[in-house]
Short mmCIF file of all heavy atoms in Angstrom, two decimals:
data_model
loop_
_atom_site.label_atom_id
_atom_site.label_comp_id
_atom_site.label_asym_id
_atom_site.label_seq_id
_atom_site.Cartn_x
_atom_site.Cartn_y
_atom_site.Cartn_z
N SER A 15 80.62 -164.27 -37.41
CA SER A 15 79.94 -163.30 -36.54
C SER A 15 79.04 -162.37 -37.33
O SER A 15 78.14 -161.76 -36.78
CB SER A 15 80.93 -162.48 -35.73
OG SER A 15 81.69 -163.28 -34.86
N LEU A 16 79.35 -162.21 -38.62
CA LEU A 16 78.57 -161.32 -39.52
C LEU A 16 78.59 -159.88 -39.05
O LEU A 16 77.63 -159.14 -39.21
CB LEU A 16 77.14 -161.82 -39.66
CG LEU A 16 76.90 -162.97 -40.66
CD1 LEU A 16 75.51 -163.51 -40.52
CD2 LEU A 16 77.15 -162.48 -42.08
N ASP A 17 79.70 -159.48 -38.39
CA ASP A 17 79.80 -158.10 -37.92
C ASP A 17 80.25 -157.15 -38.99
O ASP A 17 79.95 -155.96 -38.95
CB ASP A 17 80.75 -158.02 -36.71
CG ASP A 17 82.13 -158.60 -37.05
OD1 ASP A 17 82.22 -159.65 -37.68
OD2 ASP A 17 83.13 -157.97 -36.66
N ARG A 46 73.73 -157.47 -43.78
CA ARG A 46 73.88 -158.46 -42.68
C ARG A 46 72.67 -159.40 -42.65
O ARG A 46 72.82 -160.63 -42.56
CB ARG A 46 73.99 -157.70 -41.36
CG ARG A 46 74.17 -158.58 -40.22
CD ARG A 46 74.37 -157.92 -38.88
NE ARG A 46 74.80 -158.94 -38.01
CZ ARG A 46 73.99 -159.85 -37.48
NH1 ARG A 46 72.70 -159.80 -37.71
NH2 ARG A 46 74.45 -160.80 -36.71
N LEU A 50 72.64 -163.39 -43.40
CA LEU A 50 72.10 -164.26 -42.34
C LEU A 50 71.04 -165.19 -42.91
O LEU A 50 71.06 -166.39 -42.69
CB LEU A 50 71.56 -163.40 -41.19
CG LEU A 50 71.19 -164.14 -39.93
CD1 LEU A 50 72.44 -164.79 -39.32
CD2 LEU A 50 70.61 -163.13 -38.92
N ASN A 191 81.72 -166.20 -30.50
CA ASN A 191 80.76 -165.15 -30.22
C ASN A 191 79.34 -165.43 -30.67
O ASN A 191 78.42 -164.69 -30.34
CB ASN A 191 81.23 -163.85 -30.91
CG ASN A 191 82.66 -163.54 -30.64
OD1 ASN A 191 83.03 -163.38 -29.49
ND2 ASN A 191 83.46 -163.38 -31.69
N LEU A 192 79.20 -166.48 -31.47
CA LEU A 192 77.96 -166.74 -32.19
C LEU A 192 76.70 -166.72 -31.30
O LEU A 192 75.73 -165.99 -31.57
CB LEU A 192 78.12 -168.13 -32.79
CG LEU A 192 77.29 -168.54 -33.98
CD1 LEU A 192 77.70 -167.71 -35.16
CD2 LEU A 192 77.62 -170.01 -34.27
N LEU A 193 76.71 -167.51 -30.26
CA LEU A 193 75.51 -167.63 -29.42
C LEU A 193 75.36 -166.37 -28.55
O LEU A 193 74.24 -165.86 -28.37
CB LEU A 193 75.62 -168.88 -28.52
CG LEU A 193 75.62 -170.22 -29.26
CD1 LEU A 193 75.99 -171.33 -28.32
CD2 LEU A 193 74.24 -170.46 -29.88
N LEU A 194 76.48 -165.86 -28.04
CA LEU A 194 76.45 -164.64 -27.23
C LEU A 194 75.85 -163.49 -28.04
O LEU A 194 75.01 -162.73 -27.55
CB LEU A 194 77.86 -164.26 -26.77
CG LEU A 194 78.52 -165.20 -25.78
CD1 LEU A 194 80.00 -164.94 -25.68
CD2 LEU A 194 77.83 -165.07 -24.42
N ASP A 195 76.28 -163.36 -29.32
CA ASP A 195 75.78 -162.30 -30.18
C ASP A 195 74.29 -162.49 -30.45
O ASP A 195 73.49 -161.53 -30.35
CB ASP A 195 76.53 -162.29 -31.52
CG ASP A 195 77.92 -161.69 -31.43
OD1 ASP A 195 78.34 -161.28 -30.33
OD2 ASP A 195 78.61 -161.65 -32.45
N ALA A 196 73.91 -163.73 -30.78
CA ALA A 196 72.51 -163.99 -31.18
C ALA A 196 71.58 -163.68 -30.03
O ALA A 196 70.51 -163.06 -30.22
CB ALA A 196 72.37 -165.43 -31.60
N TRP A 197 71.95 -164.09 -28.81
CA TRP A 197 71.08 -163.88 -27.64
C TRP A 197 71.03 -162.36 -27.31
O TRP A 197 69.98 -161.81 -26.96
CB TRP A 197 71.57 -164.70 -26.46
CG TRP A 197 70.59 -164.79 -25.34
CD1 TRP A 197 70.73 -164.22 -24.11
CD2 TRP A 197 69.33 -165.49 -25.34
NE1 TRP A 197 69.64 -164.52 -23.33
CE2 TRP A 197 68.76 -165.30 -24.07
CE3 TRP A 197 68.64 -166.25 -26.31
CZ2 TRP A 197 67.49 -165.84 -23.72
CZ3 TRP A 197 67.41 -166.79 -25.96
CH2 TRP A 197 66.84 -166.56 -24.68
N ALA A 198 72.16 -161.69 -27.41
CA ALA A 198 72.20 -160.25 -27.14
C ALA A 198 71.37 -159.48 -28.18
O ALA A 198 70.67 -158.53 -27.84
CB ALA A 198 73.63 -159.75 -27.12
N GLN A 199 71.46 -159.93 -29.42
CA GLN A 199 70.68 -159.25 -30.47
C GLN A 199 69.20 -159.41 -30.22
O GLN A 199 68.42 -158.45 -30.36
CB GLN A 199 71.05 -159.81 -31.87
CG GLN A 199 72.38 -159.27 -32.34
CD GLN A 199 73.06 -160.18 -33.37
OE1 GLN A 199 72.43 -161.06 -33.97
NE2 GLN A 199 74.34 -159.99 -33.57
N GLN A 200 68.80 -160.59 -29.79
CA GLN A 200 67.36 -160.83 -29.55
C GLN A 200 66.87 -160.07 -28.35
O GLN A 200 65.75 -159.57 -28.36
CB GLN A 200 67.16 -162.32 -29.33
CG GLN A 200 65.70 -162.71 -29.23
CD GLN A 200 65.53 -164.23 -29.37
OE1 GLN A 200 66.11 -164.86 -30.26
NE2 GLN A 200 64.80 -164.81 -28.50
N HIS A 201 67.66 -159.91 -27.30
CA HIS A 201 67.15 -159.32 -26.07
C HIS A 201 67.61 -157.89 -25.79
O HIS A 201 66.91 -157.13 -25.14
CB HIS A 201 67.50 -160.21 -24.86
CG HIS A 201 66.75 -161.52 -24.92
ND1 HIS A 201 65.52 -161.67 -24.37
CD2 HIS A 201 67.06 -162.68 -25.53
CE1 HIS A 201 65.09 -162.89 -24.62
NE2 HIS A 201 65.99 -163.53 -25.31
N LEU A 202 68.82 -157.54 -26.25
CA LEU A 202 69.31 -156.18 -26.03
C LEU A 202 69.10 -155.31 -27.24
O LEU A 202 69.27 -154.08 -27.18
CB LEU A 202 70.79 -156.18 -25.67
CG LEU A 202 71.31 -156.91 -24.45
CD1 LEU A 202 72.80 -156.74 -24.29
CD2 LEU A 202 70.59 -156.38 -23.18
N HIS A 203 68.81 -155.95 -28.39
CA HIS A 203 68.70 -155.24 -29.69
C HIS A 203 69.99 -154.49 -29.98
O HIS A 203 69.95 -153.36 -30.50
CB HIS A 203 67.48 -154.37 -29.72
CG HIS A 203 66.24 -155.09 -29.34
ND1 HIS A 203 65.69 -156.07 -30.13
CD2 HIS A 203 65.48 -155.06 -28.20
CE1 HIS A 203 64.62 -156.59 -29.52
NE2 HIS A 203 64.47 -156.02 -28.37
N GLN A 204 71.10 -155.11 -29.59
CA GLN A 204 72.41 -154.56 -29.92
C GLN A 204 73.22 -155.64 -30.63
O GLN A 204 72.95 -156.83 -30.42
CB GLN A 204 73.14 -154.14 -28.65
CG GLN A 204 72.61 -152.82 -28.11
CD GLN A 204 73.07 -152.54 -26.68
OE1 GLN A 204 74.04 -153.11 -26.22
NE2 GLN A 204 72.36 -151.64 -26.01
N PRO A 205 74.21 -155.26 -31.45
CA PRO A 205 74.93 -156.27 -32.19
C PRO A 205 75.65 -157.27 -31.30
O PRO A 205 75.79 -158.45 -31.64
CB PRO A 205 75.91 -155.51 -33.08
CG PRO A 205 75.81 -154.08 -32.67
CD PRO A 205 74.60 -153.89 -31.81
N PHE A 206 76.15 -156.82 -30.15
CA PHE A 206 76.82 -157.77 -29.22
C PHE A 206 76.82 -157.19 -27.81
O PHE A 206 76.52 -156.02 -27.60
CB PHE A 206 78.22 -158.13 -29.70
CG PHE A 206 79.17 -156.98 -29.83
CD1 PHE A 206 79.92 -156.53 -28.78
CD2 PHE A 206 79.34 -156.32 -31.06
CE1 PHE A 206 80.82 -155.47 -28.87
CE2 PHE A 206 80.22 -155.26 -31.19
CZ PHE A 206 80.95 -154.84 -30.10
N ASP A 207 77.10 -158.08 -26.88
CA ASP A 207 77.13 -157.75 -25.43
C ASP A 207 78.50 -157.17 -25.10
O ASP A 207 79.44 -157.93 -24.83
CB ASP A 207 76.86 -159.08 -24.67
CG ASP A 207 76.96 -158.93 -23.16
OD1 ASP A 207 76.95 -157.79 -22.69
OD2 ASP A 207 77.02 -159.97 -22.49
N TRP A 212 76.54 -157.59 -19.87
CA TRP A 212 75.23 -158.17 -19.60
C TRP A 212 75.34 -159.56 -19.03
O TRP A 212 74.69 -159.91 -18.05
CB TRP A 212 74.39 -158.13 -20.90
CG TRP A 212 72.96 -158.50 -20.73
CD1 TRP A 212 72.12 -158.07 -19.78
CD2 TRP A 212 72.23 -159.41 -21.59
NE1 TRP A 212 70.86 -158.65 -19.95
CE2 TRP A 212 70.94 -159.47 -21.06
CE3 TRP A 212 72.53 -160.12 -22.74
CZ2 TRP A 212 69.92 -160.24 -21.67
CZ3 TRP A 212 71.55 -160.91 -23.33
CH2 TRP A 212 70.24 -160.94 -22.77
N ARG A 242 77.37 -171.91 -38.46
CA ARG A 242 76.06 -171.46 -37.96
C ARG A 242 75.06 -172.60 -37.93
O ARG A 242 74.07 -172.54 -37.18
CB ARG A 242 75.50 -170.32 -38.80
CG ARG A 242 76.15 -169.02 -38.54
CD ARG A 242 75.48 -167.85 -39.23
NE ARG A 242 76.07 -166.67 -38.67
CZ ARG A 242 75.60 -166.01 -37.60
NH1 ARG A 242 74.47 -166.38 -37.03
NH2 ARG A 242 76.22 -164.93 -37.13
N LEU A 247 70.27 -170.29 -32.38
CA LEU A 247 69.19 -170.16 -31.42
C LEU A 247 68.14 -171.28 -31.55
O LEU A 247 67.46 -171.63 -30.58
CB LEU A 247 68.50 -168.79 -31.58
CG LEU A 247 69.31 -167.58 -31.17
CD1 LEU A 247 68.47 -166.33 -31.24
CD2 LEU A 247 69.92 -167.74 -29.76
N GLN A 264 72.45 -165.54 -20.85
CA GLN A 264 73.70 -164.98 -21.38
C GLN A 264 74.90 -165.37 -20.55
O GLN A 264 75.95 -165.74 -21.06
CB GLN A 264 73.58 -163.43 -21.47
CG GLN A 264 74.71 -162.74 -22.21
CD GLN A 264 74.65 -162.91 -23.74
OE1 GLN A 264 73.86 -163.70 -24.24
NE2 GLN A 264 75.50 -162.17 -24.44
#
Side-chain angles (χ1 to χ4, degrees):
S15 296
L16 280 171
D17 56 316
R46 180 176 193 283
L50 190 61
N191 309 303
L192 202 67
L193 295 169
L194 292 166
D195 284 359
W197 193 249
Q199 283 156 17
Q200 186 165 314
H201 292 272
L202 299 181
H203 308 291
Q204 282 167 19
F206 60 87
D207 176 14
W212 187 45
R242 283 189 170 268
L247 291 186
Q264 188 75 349

